[in-house]
Amino acid sequence: MRIFLVGASGTLGRAVAAELAPRHEIITGGRNSGDVRIDLTDPESIRRAFAQAGTLDAVISAAGSVKFAPLEAITAAPLASSVYGIGIEDKLMGQVNLALEAREHLADRGSITLVSGVLTDSPIAMGSSASMVNGAIEAFVRAAAIELPRGLRINAVSPGVLVESMPHYAPFFRGFEPVPATRAALAYSRSVEGLETGQVYRVV
Amino acid sequence: MRIFLVGASGTLGRAVAAELAPRHEIITGGRNSGDVRIDLTDPESIRRAFAQAGTLDAVISAAGSVKFAPLEAITAAPLASSVYGIGIEDKLMGQVNLALEAREHLADRGSITLVSGVLTDSPIAMGSSASMVNGAIEAFVRAAAIELPRGLRINAVSPGVLVESMPHYAPFFRGFEPVPATRAALAYSRSVEGLETGQVYRVV
């Protein structure tokens, strides 16, 4: 398969590439690196990236930013100045726009795999934006799955905090069992190389 | 209790008022009607509404718009011109901003109750915006619940399609068991008059 992997330079993206590269052709995408430059917050950048990547059998996202902030520091605000704006524009709508544009470039029965995360169901302090965005992505995936044409499929991978991220994130995820990126990468393999659609693969 | 009910003039809002009014003081809020005018898409309007409503024991939302559209008609776009923009600005961020501002006006151990809907888990054609937004609301509620101060609580009510809405919505919800608004209203009672927090009350 020809697979476009967005967020290829991140901890998760590198593990996904390592899992899939032995069996498939990986076109790497990233904001500042990779075969193809792509800025998920800019629909025109997404279009250009797909035009460059050519025809694909799978599109994978291991990308998306959200802002972590204590709820007490978050006040009612228009989206442009809201703490929630980044998560909605980047991790949520960036991936949704990636999925929407992917339809035009995927071969029949091709797949789209987005990333959510454990905070959908297991919240942490400072994580309300991440929870909100992850919940939105998972519900979007279930809904988009039933309307995609030509046998196209869409799933989400919802990993717990990565072992590799613990030096940075441990104080926020006390008591959570960290997940090796190699385990999260297996869920991407299951989405891309399996046949299911509308699934959320939880790796916790 | 003094309860601020936003969306009081809608089918669901009227049923919630009927359930709670015999035992509590209801301050009704709406875009074009009610004791207090409130436009959820405008944080300043939310602030003015709370200033007018005074000190409260509960804030309830039975409001929020999303756009229904076939996925094939939705293309990658910036939020301002996206089909998903309305749902994100109105039903999602409108209710989130309502909850954030409510903190300043609720008595200790007061409650916030938002509305999501059955499409979080059970998608329908044309419903990807509603699914996305409902999933976001439910995850936000779980996350906000663990960070709210002073014993404040927050829950969501997730009703199925209402019996009263079937004349309009039946073609979109074939095979779904419609829910009388009085049953959905009971879930609001449970949120407001119970003691739980971080819950999603599914009425299906």
Side-chain angles (χ1 to χ4, degrees):
Chain A
M1 294 190 211
R2 295 191 81 236
I3 301 174
F4 183 29
L5 169 58
V6 179
S9 70
T11 306
L12 182 56
R14 289 196 307 272
V16 174
E19 172 64 34
L20 294 173
R23 297 183 295 283
H24 305 285
E25 179 187 354
I26 311 293
I27 297 108
T28 57
R31 201 183 299 248
N32 304 305
S33 63
D35 303 320
V36 172
R37 297 299 149 99
I38 181 167
D39 174 358
L40 285 183
T41 65
D42 176 4
E44 280 311 314
S45 167
I46 294 174
R47 282 197 186 88
R48 282 193 303 271
F50 274 113
Q52 221 180 314
T55 299
L56 301 162
D57 301 291
V59 174
I60 288 176
S61 169
S65 296
V66 301
K67 186 151 182 171
F68 285 83
L71 191 72
E72 67 176 0
I74 308 179
T75 52
L79 199 59
S81 55
S82 170
V83 165
Y84 297 117
I86 291 175
I88 286 172
E89 286 224 42
D90 193 308
K91 188 169 181 180
L92 174 56
M93 290 309 300
Q95 292 196 94
V96 165
N97 283 331
L98 183 78
L100 293 173
E101 186 63 20
R103 293 173 300 185
E104 313 304 320
H105 306 274
L106 282 166
D108 289 358
R109 289 176 296 284
S111 69
I112 301 160
T113 309
L114 307 184
V115 63
S116 60
V118 66
L119 301 187
T120 309
D121 295 306
S122 303
I124 61 170
M126 301 181 61
S128 63
S129 178
S131 292
M132 172 199 292
V133 161
N134 290 346
I137 291 163
E138 295 178 10
F140 170 78
V141 159
R142 286 187 290 267
I146 65 171
E147 289 197 82
L148 283 172
R150 300 189 290 112
L152 298 181
R153 302 182 296 106
I154 184 167
N155 298 299
V157 172
S158 175
V161 62
L162 299 180
V163 169
E164 293 84 348
S165 306
M166 285 302 266
H168 196 67
Y169 285 127
F172 303 100
F173 285 90
R174 293 291 179 216
F176 281 70
E177 262 189 79
V179 171
T182 51
R183 278 193 60 218
L186 279 178
Y188 281 91
S189 158
R190 199 170 154 195
S191 174
V192 170
E193 302 182 291
L195 291 177
E196 291 186 300
T197 190
Q199 302 301 305
V200 177
Y201 296 109
R202 301 185 198 283
V203 186
V204 288
Chain B
M1 295 190 209
R2 295 191 80 238
I3 301 174
F4 183 27
L5 169 58
V6 178
S9 70
T11 306
L12 182 56
R14 288 196 307 273
V16 173
E19 172 64 33
L20 293 173
R23 298 183 294 283
H24 306 287
E25 179 186 354
I26 310 293
I27 298 109
T28 57
R31 203 182 297 247
N32 304 306
S33 64
D35 302 322
V36 171
R37 298 298 149 98
I38 181 167
D39 173 359
L40 285 183
T41 65
D42 175 5
E44 281 310 315
S45 167
I46 295 174
R47 282 197 185 88
R48 282 194 301 271
F50 274 113
Q52 220 179 316
T55 299
L56 300 162
D57 301 291
V59 174
I60 287 175
S61 170
S65 296
V66 301
K67 187 153 182 169
F68 285 83
L71 192 72
E72 66 175 1
I74 308 179
T75 53
L79 199 59
S81 54
S82 170
V83 166
Y84 296 117
I86 292 175
I88 286 172
E89 286 224 44
D90 193 309
K91 188 170 181 182
L92 174 56
M93 289 309 298
Q95 292 195 94
V96 166
N97 282 332
L98 183 78
L100 294 173
E101 186 64 21
R103 293 173 301 185
E104 313 304 320
H105 305 274
L106 281 167
D108 289 359
R109 288 176 297 284
S111 69
I112 300 159
T113 309
L114 307 184
V115 63
S116 59
V118 66
L119 301 186
T120 309
D121 295 306
S122 303
I124 60 171
M126 302 180 59
S128 64
S129 177
S131 291
M132 172 198 292
V133 161
N134 290 346
I137 291 163
E138 295 178 9
F140 169 78
V141 159
R142 285 188 290 267
I146 65 170
E147 288 198 84
L148 282 172
R150 300 188 292 111
L152 299 181
R153 302 182 295 108
I154 185 166
N155 298 299
V157 172
S158 174
V161 62
L162 299 180
V163 169
E164 293 83 350
S165 305
M166 285 301 267
H168 197 65
Y169 285 127
F172 303 101
F173 285 92
R174 295 288 179 215
F176 280 71
E177 263 190 78
V179 171
T182 51
R183 277 192 60 218
L186 279 178
Y188 281 90
S189 157
R190 199 169 153 197
S191 173
V192 170
E193 302 181 291
L195 292 176
E196 291 184 300
T197 190
Q199 303 300 305
V200 177
Y201 296 109
R202 301 185 199 283
V203 186
V204 289

